[in-house]
Amino acid sequence: MQDGNAAMGLWKDWRLHVIVLAIVIVTELIGTFSIKVGPGVVLLLPMLYALGIGIILYFTPAVKERQSVNAEPIIVLGVSLLLAKIGVIIGPSLPEVIAAGPALLLQELGHLVTILIALPVAIWLGMKREAIGMTHSIGREPNVGLIMDKYGMGSPEGRGVMAMYIFGTVFGAVFLGLLSGLLATITPLSPLSFALASGVGSGSMMAAASGSLIAAFPDLETQIVALSGASNLLSLSSGLWVSIFIALPLTEKLYGWMTRKKEGY
């Protein structure tokens, strides 16, 4: 009954819907900007503007406590729609993923390394179960949905994955855009290997990374776009299964073992 009242409050909150619509219109009118920084390219996307405008409005009279509370279920709705879109994309594209070869399959094992590095650091910094949501993945839409389904958005794990989702939205594209262009130009590795590595499961991060590579190696544009797209598609399709059956259980086990060791049990 309480959930039903909350849902009714959401749909009747005209102020919230007007604010969201205004933010969407403004950010889409601004569009995407690319800034060349050395060998890398920084992409400024509408999602980034929307996040910034929303944070600013939170500290103004335009957004009251009621809007903040009513906005929470929208996250669940938005993630559900994104997961449905991902599912629709994955089905017809399975032959492309298979044709991309075993190199793309091996990249999923690399995603598990982040757990071994990030989780101990998070625990060392004093974080509790938030560390599970923060470190089991890079925290994009499918992983937000996974944590939301298993623990709930208001749980420590939910707060952790949302923190990484926001952090990745603000800094992820900038970081990968600069890193891919820099490494591809100063290391002897093929730029196509960095195209494969750019598909981490985030469209904005992939676009920033592949954009930097294309700016540095314009003659390889077709191959870079094809490989980065296939890599990102695989991360979206198989990455969630890796998180469900390997990454999240592994993070839970390691968290339990590390906290027991830390507390002297």
Side-chain angles (χ1 to χ4, degrees), residues 93-173:
S93 303
L94 281 178
E96 299 174 25
V97 174
I98 296 171
L104 287 176
L105 297 174
L106 293 174
Q107 73 168 356
E108 292 304 319
L109 298 177
H111 293 175
L112 301 178
V113 178
T114 59
I115 301 170
L116 304 178
I117 297 174
L119 183 61
V121 173
I123 294 173
W124 177 71
L125 291 173
M127 295 181 183
K128 302 299 183 182
R129 292 192 63 86
E130 290 84 355
I132 295 175
M134 295 177 73
T135 62
H136 84 284
S137 69
I138 64 168
R140 304 323 295 161
E141 289 86 356
N143 301 101
V144 173
L146 171 61
I147 296 296
M148 175 188 68
D149 182 66
K150 183 167 184 178
Y151 302 102
M153 191 55 68
S155 65
E157 295 85 355
R159 292 193 296 270
V161 74
M162 282 307 300
M164 289 311 301
Y165 180 79
I166 294 172
F167 189 87
T169 299
V170 176
F171 299 106

Side-chain angles (χ1 to χ4, degrees), residues 12 16 19 27-28 41 57 70 77 99 118 137 140 152 154 168 184-186 197 207 218-219 221 225 264:
K12 291 181 178 180
L16 175 61
I19 291 172
T27 54
E28 288 298 325
V41 175
L57 289 177
N70 288 339
L77 178 61
S137 69
R140 304 323 295 161
T185 51
I186 66 174
D219 54 320
E221 178 177 359
V225 170

Side-chain angles (χ1 to χ4, degrees), residues 39-264:
V41 175
V42 177
L43 289 180
L44 303 179
L45 302 169
M47 185 189 304
L48 181 60
Y49 313 145
L51 182 63
I53 294 172
I55 292 173
I56 293 171
L57 289 177
Y58 178 77
F59 296 99
T60 68
V63 177
K64 303 182 183 299
E65 184 178 355
R66 179 186 177 190
Q67 280 72 57
S68 299
V69 173
N70 288 339
E72 291 182 10
I74 295 181
I75 298 175
V76 180
L77 178 61
V79 170
S80 301
L81 292 173
L82 284 168
L83 290 175
K85 179 182 177 182
I86 290 168
V88 171
I89 293 173
I90 290 170
S93 303
L94 281 178
E96 299 174 25
V97 174
I98 296 171
L104 287 176
L105 297 174
L106 293 174
Q107 73 168 356
E108 292 304 319
L109 298 177
H111 293 175
L112 301 178
V113 178
T114 59
I115 301 170
L116 304 178
I117 297 174
L119 183 61
V121 173
I123 294 173
W124 177 71
L125 291 173
M127 295 181 183
K128 302 299 183 182
R129 292 192 63 86
E130 290 84 355
I132 295 175
M134 295 177 73
T135 62
H136 84 284
S137 69
I138 64 168
R140 304 323 295 161
E141 289 86 356
N143 301 101
V144 173
L146 171 61
I147 296 296
M148 175 188 68
D149 182 66
K150 183 167 184 178
Y151 302 102
M153 191 55 68
S155 65
E157 295 85 355
R159 292 193 296 270
V161 74
M162 282 307 300
M164 289 311 301
Y165 180 79
I166 294 172
F167 189 87
T169 299
V170 176
F171 299 106
V174 176
F175 177 77
L176 282 187
L178 293 174
L179 186 66
S180 62
L182 179 64
L183 293 179
T185 51
I186 66 174
T187 65
L189 297 175
S190 168
L192 297 182
S193 65
F194 291 101
L196 285 172
S198 67
V200 296
S202 166
S204 60
M205 295 182 192
M206 182 206 70
S210 59
S212 297
L213 294 172
I214 291 170
F217 304 94
D219 54 320
L220 297 175
E221 178 177 359
T222 302
Q223 296 96 311
I224 290 172
V225 170
L227 289 174
S228 61
S231 174
N232 201 59
L233 179 62
L234 182 65
S235 291
L236 287 172
S237 57
S238 63
L240 181 58
W241 299 109
V242 171
S243 294
I244 292 172
F245 294 110
I246 302 176
L248 189 54
L250 177 62
T251 308
E252 284 269 16
K253 290 287 186 183
L254 289 176
Y255 175 83
W257 179 76
M258 290 179 183
T259 51
R260 281 197 299 270
K261 293 280 287 186
K262 185 177 180 182
E263 295 169 2

